[in-house]
Amino acid sequence: MGYKNTRECLNALDTRGELLRIDQVVDANIEVGAIQRRVFQAGGPALLFTNVKGCQFPMAANIYGTKDRMNFIFRDTIEMVEKLMKLKLSPMEALKKPWNYLGAPKTAWHTMPKKVSTGPIMQNETTVSKLPQLVSWPMDGGGYVTLPQVYSESPEAPGYGGSNIGMYRVQLSGNDFIPDEEVGLHYQIHRGIGHHHAQAIKNNVPLKVNIFVGGAPAMTMGAVMPLPEGLAEIFFAGAIGGHRIPMVTRQGYLPIPAEADFCISGSIVTGSGKPEGPFGDHLGYYSLAHNFPVLKVDKVYHRNDAIWPFTTVGRPPQEDTMFGEFIHELTADLVPSVFSGVHEVHAVDAAGVHPLLLAVGSERYVPYAEERQPQELLTNAMSLLGNTQTSLSKYVFIAAKEDMRSDESCHDIPAFFRHMLERADLTRDLHFITRTTIDTLDYSGISLNQGSKLVFAAAGSKKRTLSTELPANINLPDGFSDAQIFAPGILIIKGTRHQMKRDQQDSQLDRLGEALKTAKGIEGFPMIIVADDANFTAKDWDNFLWVTFTRSDPATDMYGVNAFTHAKHWGAETAIIIDARLKTYHAPALEADPEVEKRVDALGAAGGPLHGII
């Protein structure tokens, strides 16, 4: 039950007609990543590159590239895992329908790792420089592991119960890393390994770390699963994998999955750190070089038939989007139990996941009031910003369930924006948290890891009718042009190139707000976006969401028509203006290498291995 290693999984996909072998020489430097992205965008098969230039190991990609493929890989266990999650939500369910949970004890048994003395992973040793050196984008700082399972244990409470498995990118080469002796370990804020690292620093001891690549697909899923603190990912991996994960256990060493393809073993020495990056990231921009922990490498193991699984990230949607959708299906019913009063959440993939969170909550605090207004919704929003991965959200748009029809959902983005913009009181319902922690990969803030957040709440009856026609007398100040309607109530305007320093507002946007006061009908556009390219931003919802929410910091980049500040509360009587231009301090957007793209095109021509796929 469940695939125990990479080759088992790929063989099953091959039998199903969902694996393509590419036997001609390909380069891990840019080319394989470009191929993977193109095949993913086309909804194509998993890929096995058998002839990687200068490398003895085959590479596999796009294993998780479609929702159907993910459901197939975990088909034996997904139903029971969903039931167990529902059981956590409502324990009485097992008493009402015990026949639905007959497999629960077996699944619980699978959560416990199996101790073994050796396994395929211990068959060979190699060095870091002999591993595949995947470079996904032209400006990447070196070769990277992009589907790692980074394993650590609490120095103060070692063992599986205090373990963590996370998918933190690993830089194998480049920068100032000593070849074969050091690798860069990039982990962002609010990650489980951070607690272990803090304990190691407090106790002045090295933090032992194992980096697994490949093995059971369940281990990869465990590494990306946002589990509650205190629930070890290794236990979840056993449940979703349908078998006890065999772990090679030796005195004095961290355990290693017996069926892994590769394992890099080492330790983070207290205080060690070197520049890691740049790296083309999942927001669609590069994350630049910054100091991150260095793993001192002790050993590199691999099995005889080792395959190197990888993915590449970039502007969504990419293969990691499939992980998000899969996780949402598993956990949707748990949302109310984790966040009291919250009925559904939607971390918007097109906006880079963390920049924008849409949510539906209850508004029951004052049921007898003549007009409903956000009160409980604000408690709900603060709960979202204080727990799990939703705490990294930058913009939280939350609406009252009581105002929504039964067929409405925050997963219908155009309808949800319309609902919010019709009901929000812009003088009351904008709540900022300034100079707080934000996602490490988000460069819109005032420094690394620091920026602001906005809770945008809406409740009650409609406050306005959204316009679909431009105001007749709109008079834009110098530097602004090309005003166009994107959606009901949303106006996009082209602005001049941004020239301000970090942590500064732009008086040009204040002038725009002043000029729009006189535009008759502007009140029908409560949301106004200023962008570098109005046509690109207005092309579709994906472009609108990506530009608006990845290129703005709420506190720094929000202005208004008839804006005011009263007792430290900011609002706008008529409309909000979001400055979504690329800023002088933003990281560059990802751009493909034209020459590599031509080579990929050739693979898709008649006679090429990708013909009929891309």
Side-chain angles (χ1 to χ4, degrees):
M1 181 181 265
Y3 299 114
K4 293 180 172 58
N5 55 56
T6 304
R7 193 166 291 275
E8 258 191 27
C9 179
L10 293 181
N11 287 342
L13 293 178
D14 192 17
T15 300
R16 200 173 186 239
E18 291 205 49
L19 179 71
L20 175 67
R21 292 174 60 97
I22 298 179
D23 295 324
Q24 64 193 80
V25 178
V26 292
D27 198 333
N29 183 27
I30 310 296
E31 186 176 16
V32 293
I35 294 170
Q36 182 269 324
R37 290 190 295 274
R38 292 279 290 277
V39 172
F40 168 78
Q41 295 295 340
L47 302 168
L48 179 61
F49 300 96
T50 63
N51 196 351
V52 180
K53 181 179 178 181
C55 183
Q56 72 184 85
F57 301 108
M59 300 175 70
N62 212 39
I63 298 171
Y64 309 99
T66 69
K67 194 173 173 182
D68 178 67
R69 196 144 63 237
M70 291 196 74
N71 286 334
F72 171 76
I73 291 171
F74 300 107
R75 66 193 180 280
D76 293 334
T77 57
I78 187 171
E79 183 179 355
M80 182 52 65
V81 170
E82 286 177 332
K83 286 179 179 179
L84 287 176
M85 288 191 171
K86 187 176 181 181
L87 186 60
K88 182 179 185 298
L89 180 66
S90 179
M92 290 300 294
E93 189 74 16
L95 298 178
K96 294 177 182 177
K97 301 176 181 178
W99 52 86
N100 281 345
Y101 298 92
L102 295 178
K106 188 175 182 181
T107 301
W109 172 246
H110 290 156
T111 65
M112 299 305 298
K114 181 180 180 181
K115 180 180 178 181
V116 296
S117 60
T118 190
I121 185 59
M122 309 305 294
Q123 289 168 336
N124 304 280
E125 290 189 25
T126 187
T127 59
V128 170
S129 58
K130 291 181 180 179
L131 301 174
Q133 303 291 311
L134 174 72
V135 179
S136 302
W137 294 95
M139 287 174 56
D140 281 3
Y144 275 88
V145 190
T146 56
L147 281 179
Q149 307 147 33
V150 181
Y151 181 89
S152 60
E153 294 182 359
S154 165
E156 297 178 352
Y160 294 123
S163 70
N164 177 77
I165 304 175
M167 191 166 285
Y168 318 124
R169 72 180 191 236
V170 178
Q171 186 171 351
L172 298 176
S173 59
N175 297 358
D176 296 327
F177 299 119
I178 300 172
D180 292 327
E181 295 182 19
E182 297 177 336
V183 299
L185 183 55
H186 176 116
Y187 69 81
Q188 298 152 248
I189 60 172
H190 197 77
R191 295 297 191 261
I193 192 175
H195 304 307
H196 295 169
H197 196 185
Q199 290 176 7
I201 292 171
K202 183 181 75 171
N203 292 286
N204 196 30
V205 296
L207 178 66
K208 295 178 181 179
V209 174
N210 279 346
I211 300 167
F212 317 136
V213 181
M219 290 292 287
T220 298
M221 182 53 60
V224 300
M225 192 71 184
L227 297 174
E229 189 172 341
L231 179 57
E233 290 81 6
I234 188 71
F235 299 150
F236 175 82
I240 196 73
H243 65 277
R244 296 177 67 192
I245 304 295
M247 302 291 286
V248 178
T249 307
R250 300 169 297 159
Q251 187 68 30
Y253 297 90
L254 289 181
I256 303 174
E259 294 285 348
D261 287 83
F262 299 87
C263 175
I264 303 171
S265 292
S267 57
I268 300 173
V269 179
T270 303
S272 68
K274 285 188 177 182
E276 180 272 349
F279 179 78
D281 233 313
H282 72 263
L283 267 69
Y285 309 89
Y286 286 96
S287 55
L288 303 180
H290 299 282
N291 268 23
F292 280 95
V294 173
L295 184 76
K296 304 290 185 178
V297 177
D298 295 326
K299 296 281 187 179
V300 181
Y301 302 100
H302 72 89
R303 60 189 296 150
N304 285 338
D305 56 351
I307 297 172
W308 185 269
F310 76 93
T311 189
T312 60
V313 292
R315 182 188 163 186
Q318 299 291 345
E319 186 178 6
D320 57 337
T321 300
M322 298 299 104
F323 286 120
E325 292 185 3
F326 187 81
I327 290 167
H328 169 72
E329 289 186 356
L330 280 178
T331 61
D333 287 344
L334 282 178
V335 168
S337 69
V338 178
F339 307 107
S340 179
V342 178
H343 300 275
E344 61 172 340
V345 295
H346 181 191
V348 180
D349 185 69
V353 181
H354 293 318
L356 177 62
L357 181 71
L358 310 181
V360 176
S362 293
E363 187 49 72
R364 303 163 297 187
Y365 276 6
V366 190
Y368 50 83
E370 291 185 11
E371 172 66 18
R372 189 165 28 252
Q373 69 180 56
Q375 294 179 87
E376 185 179 3
L377 288 183
L378 302 183
T379 302
N380 295 339
M382 293 305 170
S383 177
L384 289 166
L385 289 174
N387 289 280
T388 69
Q389 295 300 306
T390 61
S391 67
L392 292 175
S393 303
K394 182 169 61 174
Y395 287 89
V396 177
F397 283 47
I398 186 166
K401 181 177 176 62
E402 291 78 4
D403 300 323
M404 300 183 72
R405 301 191 312 269
S406 60
D407 61 337
E408 288 185 307
S409 165
C410 61
H411 290 272
D412 182 346
I413 294 175
F416 189 75
F417 265 76
R418 183 164 191 157
H419 178 97
M420 292 288 300
L421 294 177
E422 286 176 337
R423 287 168 173 78
D425 181 341
L426 302 181
T427 67
R428 181 193 65 201
D429 296 339
L430 304 171
H431 303 274
F432 294 85
I433 304 171
T434 61
R435 281 168 155 69
T436 188
T437 51
I438 62 171
D439 185 6
T440 304
L441 305 181
D442 192 330
Y443 280 81
S444 67
I446 59 176
S447 67
L448 184 69
N449 292 329
Q450 190 177 29
S452 65
K453 299 176 185 289
L454 172 68
V455 174
F456 189 138
S461 59
K462 293 183 181 181
K463 315 255 181 331
R464 65 183 63 79
T465 298
L466 304 181
S467 295
T468 56
E469 295 182 6
L470 280 175
N473 64 332
I474 189 168
N475 184 24
L476 299 177
D478 291 344
F480 297 93
S481 62
D482 198 17
Q484 53 187 283
I485 296 166
F486 169 66
I490 303 177
L491 189 66
I492 298 175
I493 298 174
K494 174 180 171 60
T496 58
R497 187 173 180 177
H498 183 266
Q499 297 181 10
M500 306 300 292
K501 294 180 180 179
R502 188 184 290 276
D503 199 18
Q504 291 184 348
Q505 289 202 291
D506 192 340
S507 60
Q508 290 189 83
L509 276 294
D510 290 322
R511 289 200 298 273
L512 175 64
E514 285 295 316
L516 290 176
K517 284 182 181 180
T518 60
K520 187 176 179 181
I522 198 67
E523 64 277 2
F525 294 96
M527 179 176 282
I528 300 169
I529 309 301
V530 176
D532 297 298
D533 187 335
N535 290 326
F536 174 83
T537 307
K539 180 182 177 183
D540 53 37
W541 275 94
D542 280 356
N543 283 8
F544 168 77
L545 294 166
W546 184 60
V547 169
T548 300
F549 298 103
T550 65
R551 299 182 181 182
S552 64
D553 172 76
T556 306
D557 296 323
M558 191 167 290
Y559 304 81
V561 180
N562 291 308
F564 67 90
T565 301
H566 174 72
K568 300 182 180 65
H569 176 79
W570 185 91
E573 295 178 3
T574 306
I576 60 171
I577 300 172
I578 300 177
D579 182 0
R581 297 173 295 170
L582 277 171
K583 310 302 190 296
T584 57
Y585 45 86
H586 282 182
L590 302 180
E591 294 183 2
D593 184 319
E595 293 303 315
V596 172
E597 293 299 319
K598 288 179 183 177
R599 297 207 299 269
V600 178
D601 288 338
L603 296 175
L610 299 180
H611 182 62
I613 296 175
I614 63 172

